Amino acid sequence: VLYDPCCGSGTILLEAAMMASRTPAGFFRKYRNWGFASLPGYNHESFESFARPYKEGRRELGRKIQLIGTDINSSALEAARLNLRESDRTIQGAHWKINKKDCALRMFDDGKGDLAPNFVVTNPPFGVRLGAGEDHTSLYRTLGEIMKKR
């Protein structure tokens, strides 16, 4: 179980699913015209030969992989749901849970939650995009207190 208490648009959850399914970075890129392809000496057949085992090594996640994300921002959660819906079938096999909550780490505080996370990974807000006037001190304090107990 991986939990992101400040999941925003779901980037960390999607990256975790890609890692678990052995999906190479850039695999979902619509345009595969990589910058290095224009370098002198680039050989497309050599590149394809190198990339083939990574493309073929992907695996279905299945329901045993559980990814949980929460965020207080409704529009960010809608973006996360959209990103997950548009993700590859391989990644969609995971058990996703996206909810609107204010840093729901407290639901795991006693260690007896339904899905106590094995991993907590997040990129908490820090004010640059949200506005300089926002104070996230209580959020950081809550994250720190709960993580110290684990």
Side-chain angles (χ1 to χ4, degrees):
V1 177
L2 181 133
Y3 174 57
D4 182 354
C6 306
C7 75
S9 61
T11 303
I12 289 174
L13 299 173
L14 282 166
E15 290 282 339
M18 287 177 69
M19 289 174 70
S21 66
R22 297 183 185 147
T23 301
F27 187 81
F28 299 117
R29 234 175 127 162
K30 290 180 181 165
Y31 304 103
R32 295 188 189 259
N33 43 345
W34 305 97
F36 59 79
S38 61
L39 292 172
Y42 171 75
N43 182 297
H44 185 71
E45 290 75 30
S46 294
F47 174 72
E48 286 300 319
S49 175
F50 169 79
R52 188 173 301 110
Y54 296 100
K55 292 176 184 177
E56 294 171 356
R58 297 179 68 226
R59 63 180 178 188
E60 296 279 334
L61 288 181
R63 305 293 282 178
K64 66 181 179 180
I65 303 292
Q66 299 182 39
L67 303 161
I68 303 169
T70 57
D71 204 291
I72 197 167
N73 185 316
S74 297
S75 59
L77 290 174
E78 189 52 41
R81 288 186 186 100
L82 177 66
N83 289 336
L84 297 176
R85 270 195 306 271
E86 291 183 358
S87 67
D88 180 75
R89 178 179 63 83
T90 304
I91 290 174
Q92 289 175 355
H95 176 75
W96 300 92
K97 199 180 228 182
I98 306 288
N99 294 315
K100 182 175 180 176
K101 290 190 176 161
D102 185 8
C103 188
L105 259 176
R106 290 214 183 273
M107 69 184 178
F108 305 116
D109 202 7
D110 60 3
K112 299 175 187 171
D114 290 350
L115 297 171
N118 303 80
F119 303 98
V120 176
V121 182
T122 196
N123 182 12
F126 52 90
V128 172
R129 288 181 290 177
L130 302 177
E134 301 228 13
D135 183 13
H136 302 295
T137 306
S138 65
L139 170 66
Y140 297 147
R141 185 173 288 121
T142 300
L143 284 169
E145 286 172 2
I146 293 170
M147 295 309 290
K148 279 192 283 188
K149 292 178 185 178
R150 301 195 67 63

mmCIF file of all heavy atoms in Angstrom, residues 1-25:
data_model
loop_
_atom_site.group_PDB
_atom_site.id
_atom_site.type_symbol
_atom_site.label_atom_id
_atom_site.label_comp_id
_atom_site.label_asym_id
_atom_site.label_seq_id
_atom_site.Cartn_x
_atom_site.Cartn_y
_atom_site.Cartn_z
ATOM 1 N N VAL A 1 0.849 -1.179 0.000
ATOM 2 C CA VAL A 1 0.000 0.000 0.000
ATOM 3 C C VAL A 1 0.889 1.236 0.000
ATOM 4 O O VAL A 1 1.745 1.383 0.863
ATOM 5 C CB VAL A 1 -0.936 0.022 1.236
ATOM 6 C CG1 VAL A 1 -1.754 1.295 1.265
ATOM 7 C CG2 VAL A 1 -1.827 -1.187 1.256
ATOM 8 N N LEU A 2 0.683 2.094 -0.993
ATOM 9 C CA LEU A 2 1.371 3.370 -1.050
ATOM 10 C C LEU A 2 0.337 4.466 -0.859
ATOM 11 O O LEU A 2 -0.738 4.424 -1.469
ATOM 12 C CB LEU A 2 2.074 3.559 -2.385
ATOM 13 C CG LEU A 2 2.840 4.878 -2.503
ATOM 14 C CD1 LEU A 2 4.226 4.618 -3.069
ATOM 15 C CD2 LEU A 2 2.107 5.876 -3.353
ATOM 16 N N TYR A 3 0.641 5.432 -0.016
ATOM 17 C CA TYR A 3 -0.290 6.510 0.283
ATOM 18 C C TYR A 3 0.358 7.859 0.044
ATOM 19 O O TYR A 3 1.459 8.123 0.501
ATOM 20 C CB TYR A 3 -0.763 6.399 1.737
ATOM 21 C CG TYR A 3 -1.619 7.558 2.181
ATOM 22 C CD1 TYR A 3 -2.784 7.880 1.502
ATOM 23 C CD2 TYR A 3 -1.258 8.331 3.267
ATOM 24 C CE1 TYR A 3 -3.562 8.943 1.895
ATOM 25 C CE2 TYR A 3 -2.040 9.391 3.673
ATOM 26 C CZ TYR A 3 -3.188 9.692 2.977
ATOM 27 O OH TYR A 3 -3.959 10.757 3.367
ATOM 28 N N ASP A 4 -0.341 8.727 -0.687
ATOM 29 C CA ASP A 4 0.086 10.108 -0.917
ATOM 30 C C ASP A 4 -0.977 11.027 -0.315
ATOM 31 O O ASP A 4 -2.062 11.171 -0.876
ATOM 32 C CB ASP A 4 0.250 10.376 -2.406
ATOM 33 C CG ASP A 4 0.750 11.787 -2.713
ATOM 34 O OD1 ASP A 4 0.874 12.604 -1.773
ATOM 35 O OD2 ASP A 4 1.000 12.071 -3.893
ATOM 36 N N PRO A 5 -0.695 11.637 0.850
ATOM 37 C CA PRO A 5 -1.700 12.467 1.519
ATOM 38 C C PRO A 5 -1.972 13.800 0.821
ATOM 39 O O PRO A 5 -2.987 14.433 1.089
ATOM 40 C CB PRO A 5 -1.111 12.690 2.910
ATOM 41 C CG PRO A 5 0.343 12.515 2.753
ATOM 42 C CD PRO A 5 0.524 11.520 1.645
ATOM 43 N N CYS A 6 -1.106 14.229 -0.056
ATOM 44 C CA CYS A 6 -1.278 15.486 -0.800
ATOM 45 C C CYS A 6 -1.110 15.159 -2.282
ATOM 46 O O CYS A 6 -0.203 15.648 -2.947
ATOM 47 C CB CYS A 6 -0.254 16.525 -0.354
ATOM 48 S SG CYS A 6 -0.212 16.842 1.416
ATOM 49 N N CYS A 7 -2.009 14.313 -2.818
ATOM 50 C CA CYS A 7 -1.767 13.702 -4.130
ATOM 51 C C CYS A 7 -1.916 14.639 -5.311
ATOM 52 O O CYS A 7 -1.409 14.340 -6.383
ATOM 53 C CB CYS A 7 -2.630 12.468 -4.316
ATOM 54 S SG CYS A 7 -4.361 12.801 -4.647
ATOM 55 N N GLY A 8 -2.593 15.761 -5.150
ATOM 56 C CA GLY A 8 -2.748 16.682 -6.279
ATOM 57 C C GLY A 8 -3.305 15.976 -7.493
ATOM 58 O O GLY A 8 -4.323 15.284 -7.409
ATOM 59 N N SER A 9 -2.637 16.074 -8.623
ATOM 60 C CA SER A 9 -3.137 15.462 -9.856
ATOM 61 C C SER A 9 -2.736 13.997 -10.007
ATOM 62 O O SER A 9 -2.969 13.393 -11.043
ATOM 63 C CB SER A 9 -2.658 16.262 -11.070
ATOM 64 O OG SER A 9 -1.251 16.258 -11.121
ATOM 65 N N GLY A 10 -2.133 13.406 -8.983
ATOM 66 C CA GLY A 10 -1.849 11.970 -8.975
ATOM 67 C C GLY A 10 -0.506 11.563 -9.547
ATOM 68 O O GLY A 10 -0.278 10.377 -9.799
ATOM 69 N N THR A 11 0.407 12.504 -9.728
ATOM 70 C CA THR A 11 1.695 12.199 -10.353
ATOM 71 C C THR A 11 2.459 11.107 -9.609
ATOM 72 O O THR A 11 2.939 10.149 -10.232
ATOM 73 C CB THR A 11 2.567 13.471 -10.442
ATOM 74 O OG1 THR A 11 1.842 14.457 -11.180
ATOM 75 C CG2 THR A 11 3.890 13.183 -11.106
ATOM 76 N N ILE A 12 2.576 11.224 -8.299
ATOM 77 C CA ILE A 12 3.342 10.231 -7.531
ATOM 78 C C ILE A 12 2.667 8.867 -7.601
ATOM 79 O O ILE A 12 3.338 7.841 -7.750
ATOM 80 C CB ILE A 12 3.532 10.696 -6.077
ATOM 81 C CG1 ILE A 12 4.514 11.875 -6.047
ATOM 82 C CG2 ILE A 12 4.003 9.555 -5.179
ATOM 83 C CD1 ILE A 12 4.700 12.526 -4.694
ATOM 84 N N LEU A 13 1.336 8.833 -7.538
ATOM 85 C CA LEU A 13 0.615 7.562 -7.631
ATOM 86 C C LEU A 13 0.845 6.905 -8.991
ATOM 87 O O LEU A 13 1.077 5.691 -9.071
ATOM 88 C CB LEU A 13 -0.877 7.778 -7.388
ATOM 89 C CG LEU A 13 -1.257 8.343 -6.022
ATOM 90 C CD1 LEU A 13 -2.741 8.665 -5.969
ATOM 91 C CD2 LEU A 13 -0.862 7.395 -4.913
ATOM 92 N N LEU A 14 0.783 7.700 -10.050
ATOM 93 C CA LEU A 14 1.015 7.157 -11.388
ATOM 94 C C LEU A 14 2.457 6.683 -11.557
ATOM 95 O O LEU A 14 2.700 5.631 -12.155
ATOM 96 C CB LEU A 14 0.672 8.190 -12.451
ATOM 97 C CG LEU A 14 -0.824 8.347 -12.718
ATOM 98 C CD1 LEU A 14 -1.101 9.611 -13.518
ATOM 99 C CD2 LEU A 14 -1.366 7.126 -13.437
ATOM 100 N N GLU A 15 3.401 7.456 -11.045
ATOM 101 C CA GLU A 15 4.806 7.049 -11.136
ATOM 102 C C GLU A 15 5.027 5.736 -10.375
ATOM 103 O O GLU A 15 5.758 4.861 -10.850
ATOM 104 C CB GLU A 15 5.721 8.136 -10.575
ATOM 105 C CG GLU A 15 5.781 9.390 -11.431
ATOM 106 C CD GLU A 15 6.668 9.241 -12.651
ATOM 107 O OE1 GLU A 15 7.545 8.361 -12.664
ATOM 108 O OE2 GLU A 15 6.485 10.033 -13.591
ATOM 109 N N ALA A 16 4.405 5.599 -9.215
ATOM 110 C CA ALA A 16 4.538 4.362 -8.440
ATOM 111 C C ALA A 16 3.954 3.185 -9.214
ATOM 112 O O ALA A 16 4.533 2.096 -9.244
ATOM 113 C CB ALA A 16 3.841 4.510 -7.087
ATOM 114 N N ALA A 17 2.805 3.396 -9.849
ATOM 115 C CA ALA A 17 2.186 2.333 -10.642
ATOM 116 C C ALA A 17 3.077 1.960 -11.829
ATOM 117 O O ALA A 17 3.212 0.783 -12.160
ATOM 118 C CB ALA A 17 0.811 2.775 -11.133
ATOM 119 N N MET A 18 3.694 2.960 -12.439
ATOM 120 C CA MET A 18 4.588 2.678 -13.561
ATOM 121 C C MET A 18 5.795 1.876 -13.093
ATOM 122 O O MET A 18 6.210 0.928 -13.767
ATOM 123 C CB MET A 18 5.033 3.977 -14.229
ATOM 124 C CG MET A 18 3.928 4.634 -15.040
ATOM 125 S SD MET A 18 4.425 6.211 -15.767
ATOM 126 C CE MET A 18 5.603 5.656 -16.993
ATOM 127 N N MET A 19 6.342 2.235 -11.935
ATOM 128 C CA MET A 19 7.486 1.484 -11.408
ATOM 129 C C MET A 19 7.076 0.045 -11.098
ATOM 130 O O MET A 19 7.792 -0.895 -11.440
ATOM 131 C CB MET A 19 8.036 2.170 -10.163
ATOM 132 C CG MET A 19 8.754 3.470 -10.454
ATOM 133 S SD MET A 19 9.237 4.350 -8.977
ATOM 134 C CE MET A 19 10.525 3.280 -8.362
ATOM 135 N N ALA A 20 5.929 -0.136 -10.449
ATOM 136 C CA ALA A 20 5.477 -1.471 -10.064
ATOM 137 C C ALA A 20 5.165 -2.337 -11.281
ATOM 138 O O ALA A 20 5.347 -3.553 -11.242
ATOM 139 C CB ALA A 20 4.258 -1.372 -9.154
ATOM 140 N N SER A 21 4.695 -1.711 -12.365
ATOM 141 C CA SER A 21 4.355 -2.479 -13.568
ATOM 142 C C SER A 21 5.529 -2.577 -14.543
ATOM 143 O O SER A 21 5.372 -3.089 -15.644
ATOM 144 C CB SER A 21 3.156 -1.838 -14.281
ATOM 145 O OG SER A 21 3.502 -0.567 -14.780
ATOM 146 N N ARG A 22 6.672 -2.063 -14.116
ATOM 147 C CA ARG A 22 7.882 -2.069 -14.951
ATOM 148 C C ARG A 22 7.661 -1.338 -16.277
ATOM 149 O O ARG A 22 8.151 -1.763 -17.329
ATOM 150 C CB ARG A 22 8.360 -3.494 -15.214
ATOM 151 C CG ARG A 22 8.757 -4.235 -13.984
ATOM 152 C CD ARG A 22 9.287 -5.605 -14.326
ATOM 153 N NE ARG A 22 9.567 -6.353 -13.110
ATOM 154 C CZ ARG A 22 9.431 -7.651 -13.004
ATOM 155 N NH1 ARG A 22 9.049 -8.363 -14.037
ATOM 156 N NH2 ARG A 22 9.693 -8.259 -11.867
ATOM 157 N N THR A 23 6.908 -0.248 -16.211
ATOM 158 C CA THR A 23 6.649 0.562 -17.394
ATOM 159 C C THR A 23 7.751 1.602 -17.521
ATOM 160 O O THR A 23 7.962 2.392 -16.608
ATOM 161 C CB THR A 23 5.278 1.260 -17.284
ATOM 162 O OG1 THR A 23 4.265 0.263 -17.152
ATOM 163 C CG2 THR A 23 4.990 2.109 -18.497
ATOM 164 N N PRO A 24 8.472 1.619 -18.627
ATOM 165 C CA PRO A 24 9.578 2.569 -18.771
ATOM 166 C C PRO A 24 9.095 4.014 -18.831
ATOM 167 O O PRO A 24 7.996 4.295 -19.322
ATOM 168 C CB PRO A 24 10.224 2.185 -20.105
ATOM 169 C CG PRO A 24 9.523 0.999 -20.609
ATOM 170 C CD PRO A 24 8.320 0.745 -19.779
ATOM 171 N N ALA A 25 9.928 4.924 -18.347
ATOM 172 C CA ALA A 25 9.625 6.353 -18.442
ATOM 173 C C ALA A 25 9.454 6.733 -19.905
ATOM 174 O O ALA A 25 10.153 6.228 -20.775
ATOM 175 C CB ALA A 25 10.750 7.159 -17.809
#
